[in-house]
Amino acid sequence: MNKGREQWATKMGFILAAVGSAVGLGNIWRFSYVTGDSGGAAFLLIYVLCIFLVGLPVLLAEFSIGRRGQSDVVGSFNKIAPGKPWVIGGVLGVLTSFLILSFYGVIAGWVVYFLYSYITGSAGAVEEGGYADFFLNFIGGSVGPVFWQFFFMALVIAIVFFGVKKGIEFSNRIFMPLLALILIILAGYSLTLDGAGEGLSFLFTPDWGAFGEPSVYAAAVGQAFFTLSLGMGAMITYSSYLPKETRLPSAAGGVVVLDTLFAIIAGIMIFPAVFTFANVEPDAGPGLIFIVLPEVFNQMGTGGTIFAIFFFFLVAIAALSSAISLLEVSVSYLMRKMNWERRKATIIAGVVVTLFGVPSALSQGGPLTFTVFDLPFLDLIDTITDKYTLPLGGMIIALFVGWGWNQVDALKETGLTDSVIGMIWLWFIRIVAPLGIAWILFLNIFS
Ligand code: PHE
Ligand code: NA
């Protein structure tokens, strides 16, 4: 039945692709503004705890489901537990990845527009204090946001079109080392700025009061899921292209450590810059990298434009490698379900998700600035996925592996057989992760 199903060329290729999926807008755009809004170091500490207590066990669970199922996210659940309701977790995954990609492509489009504007010089020419207008004028337009969303999505579709080895694995082999290099150079430069001490203490010296705020915990769990690409089947889909004998724990550990390092180093790149220029604040919300950082680049002089070009290039590449994993969830599903070839599945899924993103692209001051439940369309989709479907998907996955599979199978699939670590993992996936997630869902629903 699986004859001819695609596979990764190497285990390293798989790990790089999984890191590529994990490292994205979540680590730079989202991580920086959520950290900025949630008070810095206290949030960071809770976030890192969530990553290791909830994120890592769930990631290993997703890897095990995919590798065992050897199918897309719905197919994998069906194969492991035929006729059981667990498959809802798979269906939710396809839906959530579709929804996320629809607005992810919009924000990535903004990033590409900024890259383009710094290269052509138009962003560098904006007057000091003018970046809020520059950004708001752009996202409030009726052509620009859609044009750049389409441009970005065309790249995503092109890569997925070439398949697991030649498209996804190959591009990640180039992107990941490049990302690490640019990030380290930029962070190193940031550390030489006057505000480095203040930036670092914002990031690493906790304000203990924040530990009493439930909203900080909710934000941390949401961010942990988003940043590790969990709860929507991307990691299940990627691991389904692994041969059955691959060992998973080291791969899961590697992805978690690299994603976390990437976020922290991104913080080291961003906050010293923010604190060096006294008139900007760290809690600027989603506009942090589009308004605050450009003000910072502006004040850096000529070097600022070069920094900006590298910065937006870095963010664009990180977004691209994540977006391809989001599209692959639907593509893999359609290939099996509809029996379509990859090319057909890629073009249809890619075009539909791009069109579904158009209302988001036009919702930020553009012609479709209506609100639903008080939220513009983009924010609505972001909220639905971040607060509800991602945690719910993650909970179903944890419960499925912890309780739906028998203990022996689950341990065998993860490769943690009989060890103390295996037992710890099992109880995290059975109790700690589901309870933690349930509590967050409760907070999100009732507050
Ligand atoms: N993990 C990605 C990021 O941090 C976002 C993402 C979520 C990608 C879900 C794939 C699946 O930006
Ligand atoms: Na991430």
Side-chain angles (χ1 to χ4, degrees), residues 21-27 47 223 226-229 259 322:
S21 170
V23 171
L25 293 174
N27 302 58
Y47 161 78
Q223 174 65 12
F226 189 86
T227 195
L228 292 175
S229 307
D259 185 78
S322 294

Side-chain angles (χ1 to χ4, degrees), residues 86 116 162 204 258 313 320-321 324 334 336 342 344:
W86 295 113
Y116 167 83
F162 284 105
F204 297 117
L258 286 174
F313 180 70
L320 189 56
S321 59
I324 59 185
L334 291 173
R336 177 188 57 85
R342 166 168 293 274
K344 181 173 175 189

Side-chain angles (χ1 to χ4, degrees), residues 99-156:
L99 291 176
I100 293 184
L101 183 54
S102 75
F103 76 81
Y104 204 84
V106 172
I107 294 166
W110 302 350
V111 172
V112 182
Y113 168 74
F114 269 73
L115 173 61
Y116 167 83
S117 306
Y118 273 106
I119 293 175
T120 61
S122 63
V126 173
E127 296 282 312
E128 191 183 326
Y131 285 94
D133 282 344
F134 180 79
F135 175 59
L136 296 174
N137 278 338
F138 166 68
I139 63 173
S142 44
V143 178
V146 177
F147 175 82
W148 291 102
Q149 181 217 355
F150 281 19
F151 180 90
F152 177 81
M153 290 304 298
L155 296 176
V156 175

